[in-house]
Amino acid sequence: GRGWDREDPELTYHIAQDLGMPYPEYWQLKTEFELDGGYRNLPAYADAVEFVRRALAAGVYLIVVTARPANIGNIWYESWLWLKEQDIAPDQLLMLGEGERLLYLDTLPSQAVLLEDNPAIAQRAAQVCKVVLRSHNYNRCYGGFTARLEDFSILQPENLWR
């Protein structure tokens, strides 16, 4: 019976903290969600989907990197299907933790662009590539990015990869 009790619940990047939930209880619910294929049913940000489609149409090599755990159930496959349902066909789909993701970003060409919402990753990544941060309450106090947006539809792919 836990639920959001305020209009904009995303005060932190940590769901358990926002819910006032003990971490073991959160971990159990998260694991059940993952084993039940919950990632496949998450709604997409329509503006981000449209931006990625336009980037693909412009010839961008798309690498989707997610922190979803690849070692649980069929999460990689469910993620691939989720992308396919959004009409997004990435060149690669990688599942990397925070540290691995940052190390991987450092190997990419300088024209790489990261679309991110995790402020810790975004700040570190901004040292090696362009970063577009999706604005949320939990990341508004961070800076140093190429852009901070609530609506990705205004992004022009051809302007980011110059």
Side-chain angles (χ1 to χ4, degrees):
R2 292 190 188 270
W4 302 113
D5 60 358
R6 53 190 180 269
E7 196 170 308
D8 187 353
E10 298 170 331
L11 297 176
T12 73
Y13 188 70
H14 304 285
I15 296 170
Q17 185 176 340
D18 276 349
L19 290 172
M21 179 182 289
Y23 195 76
E25 183 181 344
Y26 160 77
W27 189 259
Q28 180 181 348
L29 290 172
K30 178 182 177 293
T31 301
E32 290 171 12
F33 171 84
E34 291 168 343
L35 290 172
D36 289 343
Y39 287 117
R40 178 122 187 253
N41 300 312
L42 289 176
Y45 288 111
D47 59 307
V49 168
E50 182 56 34
F51 169 73
V52 170
R53 288 178 186 156
R54 285 187 284 125
L56 286 168
V60 167
Y61 186 90
L62 179 64
I63 303 169
V64 173
V65 182
T66 178
R68 295 175 179 183
N71 62 338
I72 295 180
N74 295 318
I75 292 179
W76 187 94
Y77 180 67
E78 290 164 2
S79 299
W80 186 264
L81 289 177
W82 183 88
L83 289 164
K84 185 177 179 182
E85 289 167 3
Q86 311 311 316
D87 198 26
I88 294 173
D91 295 287
Q92 294 182 52
L93 172 58
L94 306 174
M95 298 189 161
L96 303 173
E98 184 174 319
E100 294 171 305
R101 199 171 343 169
L102 290 166
L103 290 170
Y104 181 72
L105 279 170
D106 203 40
T107 69
L108 297 177
S110 61
Q111 63 268 43
V113 176
L114 174 68
L115 307 179
E116 185 60 68
D117 71 325
N118 180 330
I121 290 175
Q123 273 198 316
R124 290 183 182 128
Q127 298 170 21
V128 296
C129 69
K130 293 178 182 175
V131 175
V132 178
L133 187 74
R134 176 171 291 280
S135 190
H136 289 287
N137 281 340
Y138 57 76
N139 66 25
R140 290 211 169 110
C141 64
Y142 293 83
F145 312 110
T146 306
R148 175 191 305 277
L149 301 171
E150 292 183 20
D151 183 355
F152 282 21
S153 66
I154 66 169
L155 287 174
Q156 297 301 318
E158 57 278 4
N159 294 336
L160 277 175
W161 282 278
R162 284 187 179 165

